[in-house]
Each structure stands twice: as C-alpha cells, then as structure tokens.
C-alpha cells in the first residue's frame, strides 16, 4: 500500500512540474530590463569624467548570463559610450527604447529587435543617434545583445 501511495505522490509532483513549465517574461518586463540596462550603459552626464567600461560592466553584470557578460567585456562594449563622450566632449542620454518580439525559440529563449534613440548634447547643440539591435533573453537574463552601427538623425 505504501508503494502505491508513493507512486501516486510522485506522479502528482511530476505532473505539477510539467504543467507549470517555464514562465515566459512579458514584453513589458523585457522592455523595462532593456531600458534599465541601456540607461546604465549609455547615460554619461560628465563627458570629462565618464565612468570606465569596467565600472559600467560591473553595474550591468546582473542583467546577463555569465557567457554573454564575458563576451561583452572581451569586446569592450561598455567602453564605447564613455570614450565617445570624452572624445566629443558631449553628454549622452538614452531618450527612447522601442522593442519588438521577433521569435520564440524551441529552447525557451525569446529573440527581440530593438531601437534606441540616444541624445548627444552639450551647451550649444544636440543630436539624436538611432541604434538598432537584437536581444535574446532567457527569462529575464540577457543571453545575447548585438547592436549595429548608428545612423545620425537630424
């Protein structure tokens, strides 16, 4: 009798685990994740004293899978905004983020396409740069982030 009860309990546990499955994040949650991460990556208030790529990397590390974070750091992605701000002597601010789901993958990850609008400004002028990119998330963890070269919007 004990064996039958144990088998029933085991079956109920397995059924519950399969029924629950992996929760997919909402597009709203992914947009918030992307906005928060890109704000840290791109907002540079003082172009004469910007944060280092390492400092930015440490702040955004929690958004990434370990492998993707290592790739981003190896490619020095987080050094780009501080260098541009310093060389151009202009501040940078994330103005807007648009996100569109492009594919749900069999492994449970989701691919998105996004567009960033970055404002480069100083006391005399400003310009908006549009950057398009692609993002893959597993839950609310970024497993891939890629951006194409920007185009200047006047």
């Amino acid at each position: 009798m004990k064996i039958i009860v144990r088998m029933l309990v085991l079956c109920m546990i397995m059924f519950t685990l399969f029924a629950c499955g992996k929760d997919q994040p909402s597009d709203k949650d992914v947009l918030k994740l992307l906005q928060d991460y890109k704000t840290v990556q791109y907002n540079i208030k003082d172009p004469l004293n910007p944060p280092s790529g390492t400092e930015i990397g440490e702040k955004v590390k929690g958004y990434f899978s370990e492998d993707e974070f290592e790739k981003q750091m190896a490619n020095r992605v987080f050094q780009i905004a501080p260098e541009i701000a310093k060389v151009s002597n202009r501040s940078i601010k994330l103005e807007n983020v648009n996100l569109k789901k492009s594919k749900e993958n069999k492994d449970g990850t989701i691919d998105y396409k996004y567009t960033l609008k970055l404002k480069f400004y100083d006391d005399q002028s400003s310009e908006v740069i549009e950057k398009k990119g692609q993002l893959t998330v597993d839950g609310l963890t970024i497993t891939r982030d890629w951006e194409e070269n920007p185009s200047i919007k006047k």
Side-chain angles (χ1 to χ4, degrees), residues 42-97:
Y42 282 110
N43 280 13
I44 308 289
K45 291 180 182 176
D46 182 1
L48 299 177
N49 189 25
S52 70
T54 303
E55 290 171 327
I56 293 172
E58 287 303 312
K59 289 179 182 178
V60 300
K61 186 176 187 174
Y63 295 102
F64 289 95
S65 67
E66 189 174 324
D67 288 343
E68 183 61 15
F69 178 73
E70 289 174 10
K71 286 179 192 173
Q72 297 288 326
M73 288 298 286
N75 290 330
R76 299 176 11 199
V77 169
F78 307 125
Q79 292 177 331
I80 295 170
E83 280 297 314
I84 291 172
K86 196 171 203 172
V87 169
S88 68
N89 196 24
R90 297 178 98 188
S91 299
I92 305 172
K93 181 180 179 186
L94 178 67
E95 289 277 295
N96 190 27
V97 179

Side-chain angles (χ1 to χ4, degrees), residues 105-133:
N105 303 304
K106 290 181 182 178
D107 64 359
T109 61
I110 303 172
D111 294 337
Y112 290 89
K113 292 182 179 181
Y114 64 84
T115 304
L116 307 175
K117 291 201 177 177
L118 302 169
K119 180 179 179 181
F120 289 75
Y121 63 97
D122 58 23
D123 292 337
Q124 287 85 33
S125 65
S126 70
E127 64 184 311
V128 174
I129 305 291
E130 189 173 276
K131 288 191 75 145
K132 293 182 186 268

Side-chain angles (χ1 to χ4, degrees), residues 16-66:
T16 302
L17 289 175
F18 287 120
C20 291
K22 191 174 185 178
D23 289 336
Q24 296 286 343
S26 72
D27 291 347
K28 200 178 214 181
D29 291 337
V30 176
L31 177 61
K32 174 86 170 105
L33 171 86
L34 185 62
Q35 286 173 326
D36 292 348
Y37 151 53
K38 292 298 181 181
T39 296
V40 173
Q41 181 181 358
Y42 282 110
N43 280 13
I44 308 289
K45 291 180 182 176
D46 182 1
L48 299 177
N49 189 25
S52 70
T54 303
E55 290 171 327
I56 293 172
E58 287 303 312
K59 289 179 182 178
V60 300
K61 186 176 187 174
Y63 295 102
F64 289 95
S65 67
E66 189 174 324

Side-chain angles (χ1 to χ4, degrees), residues 126-143:
S126 70
E127 64 184 311
V128 174
I129 305 291
E130 189 173 276
K131 288 191 75 145
K132 293 182 186 268
Q134 300 173 6
L135 184 76
T136 301
V137 294
D138 185 0
L140 286 175
T141 300
I142 299 169
T143 59

